[in-house]
Amino acid sequence: MLTQYDSSPRRKSTAVDVAGVTIGGATPVVVQSMTNTDTADAQATADQVQRLAEAGSELVRVTVNTEAAAAQVGRIRELLDAAGCQVPLIGDFHYNGHALLEKYPACASALAKYRINPGNVGFGRNKDAQFSVMIEKAIEYDKPVRIGVNWGSLDQELLQRLMDENAALAQPREIDEVMREALIVSALSSAARAEELGLAHNKIVLSCKVSGVQQLIAVYRGLSARCDYSLHLGLTEAGMGSKGIVASTAALSVLLQEGIGDTIRISLTPEPGGDRCREVVVAQEILQTMGFRAFTPQVTACPGCGRTTSTVFQHLADRIQTYVRRQMPVWREQYVGVEAMQLAVMGCVVNGPGESKHANIGISLPGTGEAPSAPVFIDGKKVTTLRGEHIADEFQGIVDRYVAEHYARKP
């Protein structure tokens, strides 16, 4: 079973309802993702939203940057509803959100939450007026708002003011510290303004995203200490491949362990032809490996060494891991608790039997000089030994039988 590790208590945050999905309060951390399709292409966007939802994204954000995009948001919601996909849609607005929400009421209504960036909601005398319009629309349609600050689009007037104030000090702070303060002040002052306009406290989520790991940790520690709003975590522009995964994991794991964060998104740059759903899988794996949530059965596998005779265990581990992830949507509908199942695929006798005994189901394949047999353990006890060319098929069958026999069927 999944271990729940001891950790600091979750930070107390105000719960926010997003079309039936609760973030904050005492609820588990929610996984979010974002499409990279042209929102004006309703079918392509709805298809990607559905794939992200099937992968496990509990909230999906879409870009609403043009009139053509805003005009299609209602249609996207209709396509998703027709497909039985109830995942809430979040609208990502920059520069012209006030105009789009006013002109396209179907868009304003279909979205479950609005994301506002106070750094580019408006400039000069227009800033407060355009911010106010967006908040008023959120109130009119009873929608929560994420006030999402990003250091790549930070309010330059605010930053300059804080820089000037800092320069006047007898002992000025480091520039990075002033920038972090600007991010926090931008989020908190915008939230205060939203409440002045009438938006309820429990309709506000905050985020302060940067692309540096240590900067992100410092910003969210500071932000969390100064408010009880629900917080959305994410390392912005994390990067591609292993760099993006490692950086996001390093930053978010520290904050999550400290009880900070109510919803997360992993901002991976997709590799050419890559799957957008990868960011969802990484978010789930961070939460599951830390023991905070369970999403899909986990496979423990050894790295291989000179003791392992072939790549059989590698292929089997990959096959089983891929299989259980693909099966999880089906199992989730049929059985209770399958997501906490633990599997082990090991390559030799050194740690193989021990790891296999710790898992719900484990197999120890033969290594160099070992007998050509693969003992299988179920809940700590050896139950059979597999041999021959069909070990993979037979082991997969054992997994299927275990699920059917050990987990209660849903009514």
Side-chain angles (χ1 to χ4, degrees), residues 67-399:
E67 292 198 18
Q72 292 301 315
V73 170
R75 176 60 179 159
I76 292 167
R77 183 71 267 169
E78 291 174 357
L79 290 169
L80 292 169
D81 291 343
C85 180
Q86 301 302 314
V87 67
L89 291 179
I90 300 167
D92 193 58
F93 295 99
H94 298 275
Y95 306 109
N96 59 354
H98 62 290
L100 296 178
L101 287 171
E102 278 196 308
K103 187 170 182 179
Y104 295 92
C107 170
S109 176
L111 292 170
K113 178 159 71 93
Y114 307 156
R115 185 276 175 113
I116 302 175
N117 184 340
N120 57 32
V121 71
F123 304 98
R125 290 177 296 178
N126 292 327
K127 179 180 178 181
D128 185 66
Q130 293 174 186
F131 179 81
S132 298
V133 168
M134 298 189 74
I135 297 302
E136 288 162 2
K137 289 299 173 184
I139 296 169
E140 178 183 348
Y141 290 97
D142 193 26
K143 307 294 183 180
V145 169
R146 171 160 72 94
I147 296 173
V149 184
N150 190 301
W151 75 346
S153 52
L154 185 56
D155 183 335
Q156 293 303 299
E157 291 182 10
L158 170 63
L159 179 60
Q160 188 59 55
R161 176 171 63 80
L162 293 181
M163 287 289 189
D164 292 342
E165 291 174 358
N166 183 63
L169 296 174
Q171 293 183 319
R173 296 175 293 176
E174 294 291 331
I175 298 302
D176 282 354
E177 186 178 351
V178 178
M179 181 169 281
R180 291 197 299 270
E181 177 66 11
L183 288 162
I184 294 170
V185 170
S186 179
L188 293 178
S189 61
S190 297
R193 178 58 179 149
E195 290 199 52
E196 287 177 6
L197 293 166
L199 188 65
H201 191 80
N202 66 351
K203 292 287 188 180
I204 299 173
V205 180
L206 299 185
S207 66
C208 287
K209 290 188 177 183
V210 301
S211 57
V213 170
Q214 295 296 346
Q215 291 278 22
L216 190 83
I217 293 169
V219 165
Y220 273 92
R221 282 174 173 166
L223 179 62
S224 68
R226 290 159 67 173
C227 72
D228 69 347
Y229 294 111
S230 288
L231 301 181
H232 170 75
L233 299 188
L235 187 76
T236 191
E237 288 90 41
M240 181 181 289
S242 61
K243 185 271 178 185
I245 293 171
V246 171
S248 293
T249 303
L252 270 60
S253 294
V254 171
L255 293 168
L256 291 168
Q257 188 68 21
E258 294 179 3
I260 299 170
D262 302 293
T263 175
I264 65 172
R265 188 228 168 170
I266 308 301
S267 300
L268 294 181
T269 303
E271 297 176 355
D275 187 353
R276 189 67 169 181
C277 295
R278 182 62 175 152
E279 66 178 53
V280 179
V281 174
V282 173
Q284 291 179 330
E285 289 177 345
I286 290 172
L287 294 173
Q288 186 152 354
T289 55
M290 293 187 71
F292 297 140
R293 290 188 67 181
F295 296 95
T296 191
Q298 298 288 284
V299 179
T300 299
C302 72
C305 66
R307 293 178 180 273
T308 53
T309 57
S310 70
T311 60
V312 172
F313 78 96
Q314 297 168 349
H315 289 300
L316 180 58
D318 181 64
R319 172 173 170 171
I320 293 301
Q321 186 163 277
T322 300
Y323 176 71
V324 297
R325 183 165 283 282
R326 288 177 178 171
Q327 278 293 107
M328 196 56 219
V330 177
W331 286 340
R332 188 182 293 112
E333 293 296 319
Q334 296 179 344
Y335 301 101
V336 178
V338 185
E339 62 275 7
M341 182 171 61
Q342 296 284 327
L343 306 173
V345 178
M346 306 301 293
C348 78
V349 74
V350 174
N351 295 315
E355 285 284 359
S356 296
K357 290 177 182 177
H358 287 305
N360 296 115
I361 311 170
I363 185 170
S364 180
L365 295 163
T368 303
E370 296 175 16
S373 60
V376 176
F377 299 82
I378 293 181
D379 292 328
K381 297 179 180 180
K382 181 180 174 181
V383 295
T384 188
T385 299
L386 304 181
R387 297 181 176 85
E389 300 178 356
H390 303 291
I391 287 178
D393 291 332
E394 293 175 16
F395 187 69
Q396 186 171 304
I398 290 171
V399 172

